[in-house]
Amino acid sequence: MKRKIFFNICIFIIISLCSFMIEHTLLKSKKKCNKTNEVLSNIVSFIHNMGSMYITFGSLLFGHYVLHFIALIMTLFSWYICNKIDNKKVSCIITQIYNRLCGFDEGRHFHDLNYYIFNRILGIQNYSIALMLCIVLYDLYHIYFIFF
């Protein structure tokens, strides 16, 4: 059992690092963060990549469906609140902070592994809500069988 948890943590870290590297090498626009914001923007980017990968793969790798479901609902709620406040194309507060740190357009999506796969490879533009809905349904399916 401990070996499986260790293996899943390693997979999660590898996926998060791949997402971070994709965002910084393949998808970063020509505009780069200035030197004063570079370290802070890299920290924000890495934390955002880890959070994004947890939202996407957390219940698959770690289970804990109720905890994961709560994280999903909090994420969706924050997207809703951020869209109500400034009505921008980007719905995530961390993406907005990152874009400001790096001088990117405020409407720029965060270019993580999900963006690369869905937008660049598959050509699906607005994938976030559909992906979250699938993950919510997956969690609810498992939560149902835990309690019933």
Side-chain angles (χ1 to χ4, degrees):
M1 185 67 165
K2 287 182 181 181
R3 184 172 276 187
K4 182 181 179 195
I5 292 170
F6 178 75
F7 179 75
N8 288 348
I9 290 171
C10 288
I11 294 294
F12 174 73
I13 291 170
I14 290 168
I15 290 171
S16 296
L17 285 172
C18 285
S19 181
F20 179 77
M21 290 173 23
I22 283 171
E23 194 260 324
H24 280 271
T25 57
L26 296 177
L27 299 173
K28 195 124 180 178
S29 72
K30 293 177 184 175
K31 200 185 263 189
K32 294 192 177 189
C33 299
N34 61 35
K35 292 290 181 191
T36 57
N37 291 335
E38 189 172 12
V39 172
L40 181 59
S41 68
N42 283 333
I43 292 169
V44 170
S45 174
F46 187 68
I47 290 170
H48 196 207
N49 276 291
M50 288 187 74
S52 177
M53 294 305 100
Y54 176 74
I55 292 295
T56 306
F57 300 108
S59 59
L60 291 170
L61 291 172
F62 305 116
H64 304 286
Y65 304 106
V66 175
L67 178 66
H68 190 262
F69 181 74
I70 291 169
L72 282 168
I73 296 304
M74 288 174 53
T75 301
L76 287 170
F77 183 71
S78 73
W79 288 1
Y80 176 77
I81 294 297
C82 287
N83 279 337
K84 287 295 182 187
I85 291 172
D86 66 6
N87 226 358
K88 297 285 183 201
K89 184 178 176 184
V90 175
S91 53
C92 180
I93 186 69
I94 301 172
T95 301
Q96 292 175 3
I97 292 168
Y98 181 74
N99 287 347
R100 284 185 197 125
L101 281 172
C102 291
F104 293 132
D105 178 49
E106 287 186 24
R108 180 182 183 263
H109 283 283
F110 191 69
H111 294 177
D112 62 352
L113 182 64
N114 293 330
Y115 177 88
Y116 183 71
I117 291 171
F118 285 100
N119 195 315
R120 293 292 176 99
I121 294 175
L122 300 176
I124 302 170
Q125 297 297 318
N126 299 316
Y127 62 90
S128 297
I129 298 298
L131 178 62
M132 292 290 267
L133 179 62
C134 291
I135 297 168
V136 163
L137 291 174
Y138 178 81
D139 282 351
L140 287 175
Y141 173 80
H142 286 281
I143 290 169
Y144 176 80
F145 285 107
I146 289 172
F147 292 109
F148 300 106

